[in-house]
Amino acid sequence: MKVLVINCGSSSLKFQLIDAESEQLIAKGLCERIGIEGSRISFTATGKDKITRETPMPDHKTAINLVLAALTDKEHGVVKSLDEINAVGHRIVHGGENFTKSVIIDEDVIKAIEEVSDLAPLHNPANLIGIRACQELMPKVPMVAVFDTAFHQTMPEEAYLYGLPYEYYAKYKIRRYGFHGTSHSYVSKRCAEIMGKDYNDCKIIVCHLGNGASISAVKDGKCMDTSMGLTPLEGLIMGTRCGSIDPSVIELVEQKTQMTTKQVMNILNKESGVYGLSDDISSDFRDLEDGYFAKVPGAVRAIDTFCYHVMKYIGSYVAVMNGVDAICFTAGVGENSPIVRKLVLDRLGYLGLTLDEEANEVHGKEKMISTEDSKVKAYVIPTNEELAIARDTYALCKNLK
Ligand code: ADP
């Protein structure tokens, strides 16, 4: 069974075609600058060179049409006809409280995704456009919605409530939801497998450190807490997002700079994080690491502050779970930055965790980075959100008639 995985952003669309039984990637690609001048599609069939083509993409439907054309292209394509695509899995950012797991998409599901769109105004509408476009172009193919928030729906009330008037939760559903759920679920499961432990009987902390960053505490296969909140702005310091701050900062910055709330929110989302802390050096950890080793003050400040917060969250999640068996690092920074991992893990000696410095040099590969005798284990586990989406899609669609 071939599953097309679609991840629709506001101006981009990532896709992968995966053979669900063998879990092999057949092809992948990206449409960029949808609705903007200079749009282009790139396409890579596994084992072949990447092909990039500039072509107008006024909307997502055009983009999906181009994806389907690329997949079936006589010369470079990977399937003879669209009939070979058996199911589509859509990444949906916000499921609110409506979805605790992946579901087959029908009109009720679409309505429920629409209902929570005000919780993710940049993402959910784009996700819905992707669903509608696929429905039009592949009307007979079953589709599945896989939510970034679903895995975190097991959080207890004490973890998801804010200290706000309760009616804000009751009336407006203002609470912590968490994101990157597909990744936290995939990595924590894989960690249990590697340790040879029962997923339903172990305590795992997953550090998903990419441009967006979040941590989760997974106990006995259930998410107990995670660092992102109502939106992905809460929690860790990120590439350009500020993470958790005192809300009074917003009012004070408005007073001092004459900016509007919208402008300040834009700064908190796009000009803060390690980028802001470094005094505009970069949001990319490759640049910041270069600066760190050259002792550039802004880069040192950004990386040290980032790692301090990761360490602090880990400590609090050990408390949440009353212990921890393993700490996992994943996503762009987590998989590729030995210095970030070292600065975090060197401060966790009190847990009985010892870093294996040599193993920690790993980039983008699954590896245990704690010593054999370390009481708490540490791992690098590359995430694969697309494969996780394909697995859920396959599980829900394989028995459909
Ligand atoms: P997202 O999906 O949130 O955009 P990714 O998980 O792709 O983010 O992570 C992107 C980030 O990973 C980059 O901004 C960069 O900081 C970091 N990164 C990628 N490769 C490396 C590397 N070799 N060393 C250090 N950091 C890296």
Side-chain angles (χ1 to χ4, degrees):
M1 182 168 174
K2 294 188 177 84
V3 175
L4 178 61
V5 175
I6 299 273
N7 182 353
C8 229
S10 52
S11 67
S12 71
L13 188 161
K14 289 189 215 154
F15 63 95
Q16 288 194 1
L17 186 67
I18 295 174
D19 182 279
E21 280 98 0
S22 67
E23 302 200 334
Q24 293 301 309
L25 177 68
I26 300 167
K28 65 175 181 178
L30 170 68
C31 299
E32 290 172 283
R33 303 180 63 84
I34 301 169
I36 313 171
E37 194 89 342
S39 36
R40 60 177 173 257
I41 177 170
S42 63
F43 177 81
T44 315
T46 302
K48 303 229 174 99
D49 289 340
K50 178 165 157 180
I51 302 165
T52 304
R53 189 158 68 94
E54 279 217 17
T55 176
M57 274 180 236
D59 50 41
H60 288 76
K61 195 173 157 197
T62 314
I64 288 181
N65 240 327
L66 286 163
V67 170
L68 300 179
L71 291 167
T72 52
D73 184 81
K74 281 213 171 66
E75 201 181 333
H76 307 290
V78 288
V79 290
K80 285 205 186 71
S81 82
L82 287 183
D83 295 344
E84 287 183 46
I85 298 174
N86 309 102
V88 181
H90 290 270
R91 177 201 178 200
I92 310 293
V93 168
H94 218 309
E97 288 186 330
N98 295 337
F99 299 100
T100 57
K101 52 184 192 285
S102 304
V103 289
I104 292 189
I105 296 173
D106 59 18
E107 282 306 310
D108 289 343
V109 167
I110 290 180
K111 231 184 263 156
I113 296 172
E114 266 163 2
E115 264 168 31
V116 293
S117 277
D118 57 344
L119 298 175
L122 293 179
H123 294 101
N124 275 28
N127 300 156
L128 283 165
I129 291 170
I131 293 177
R132 290 287 191 209
C134 284
Q135 280 182 328
E136 259 184 64
L137 298 165
M138 294 183 279
K140 295 213 180 86
V141 179
M143 311 220 180
V144 168
V146 180
F147 300 91
D148 266 29
T149 47
F151 181 63
H152 305 303
Q153 278 295 305
T154 50
M155 279 195 286
E157 189 180 63
E158 59 188 15
Y160 72 68
L161 283 181
Y162 288 119
L164 290 169
Y166 186 71
E167 65 167 322
Y168 293 174
Y169 167 63
K171 272 196 196 160
Y172 312 123
K173 296 289 172 211
I174 293 176
R175 51 160 282 181
R176 305 183 56 256
Y177 290 95
F179 297 86
H180 294 141
T182 317
S183 177
H184 288 286
S185 160
Y186 175 89
V187 172
S188 55
K189 273 190 199 123
R190 184 69 199 125
C191 176
E193 266 170 34
I194 300 170
M195 286 195 294
K197 288 202 174 199
D198 178 358
Y199 186 49
N200 297 315
D201 186 21
C202 57
K203 298 168 180 173
I204 297 168
I205 293 175
V206 178
C207 307
H208 177 112
L209 311 178
N211 208 9
S214 66
I215 302 201
S216 66
V218 184
K219 186 180 175 202
D220 303 340
K222 292 199 176 71
C223 177
M224 305 304 289
D225 204 344
T226 190
S227 57
M228 283 178 167
L230 175 75
T231 74
L233 189 54
E234 189 182 341
L236 292 173
I237 290 172
M238 310 182 206
T240 61
R241 293 188 200 125
C242 61
S244 294
I245 56 166
D246 181 339
S248 309
V249 168
I250 299 172
E251 189 184 31
L252 190 66
V253 173
E254 280 177 18
Q255 277 171 15
K256 298 274 182 203
T257 63
Q258 317 303 318
M259 280 192 283
T260 61
T261 306
K262 204 166 170 203
Q263 286 170 319
V264 177
M265 290 308 294
N266 196 46
I267 302 253
L268 300 185
N269 272 293
K270 300 204 174 130
E271 292 183 39
S272 301
V274 286
Y275 172 75
L277 271 171
S278 71
D279 217 1
D280 301 358
I281 293 177
S282 178
S283 64
D284 193 306
F285 274 76
R286 284 163 284 206
D287 304 328
L288 292 172
E289 279 182 7
D290 291 345
Y292 185 89
F293 291 117
K295 298 197 167 47
V296 177
V300 173
R301 179 171 59 231
I303 289 198
D304 280 345
T305 314
F306 174 85
C307 293
Y308 173 83
H309 282 259
V310 176
M311 175 273 290
K312 202 163 92 165
Y313 263 102
I314 291 175
S316 68
Y317 285 174
V318 174
V320 163
M321 298 192 291
N322 188 24
V324 63
D325 296 310
I327 297 170
C328 308
F329 288 84
T330 195
V333 180
E335 291 167 27
N336 291 297
S337 180
I339 185 65
V340 164
R341 296 190 298 249
K342 180 174 163 55
L343 288 171
V344 172
L345 295 177
D346 272 354
R347 288 191 270 200
L348 300 178
Y350 71 96
L351 292 174
L353 193 154
T354 316
L355 181 68
D356 179 335
E357 304 259 353
E358 208 183 307
N360 186 41
E361 289 306 312
V362 68
H363 283 261
K365 271 205 300 241
E366 211 168 271
K367 196 166 179 86
M368 185 168 87
I369 56 168
S370 51
T371 57
E372 281 299 333
D373 60 355
S374 182
K375 194 170 134 255
V376 172
K377 305 293 182 209
Y379 297 93
V380 170
I381 301 180
T383 192
N384 193 339
E385 288 164 286
E386 289 78 12
L387 178 58
I389 293 172
R391 280 181 183 166
D392 276 14
T393 305
Y394 177 57
L396 285 166
C397 296
K398 67 180 170 191
N399 294 324
L400 287 180
K401 285 260 156 58

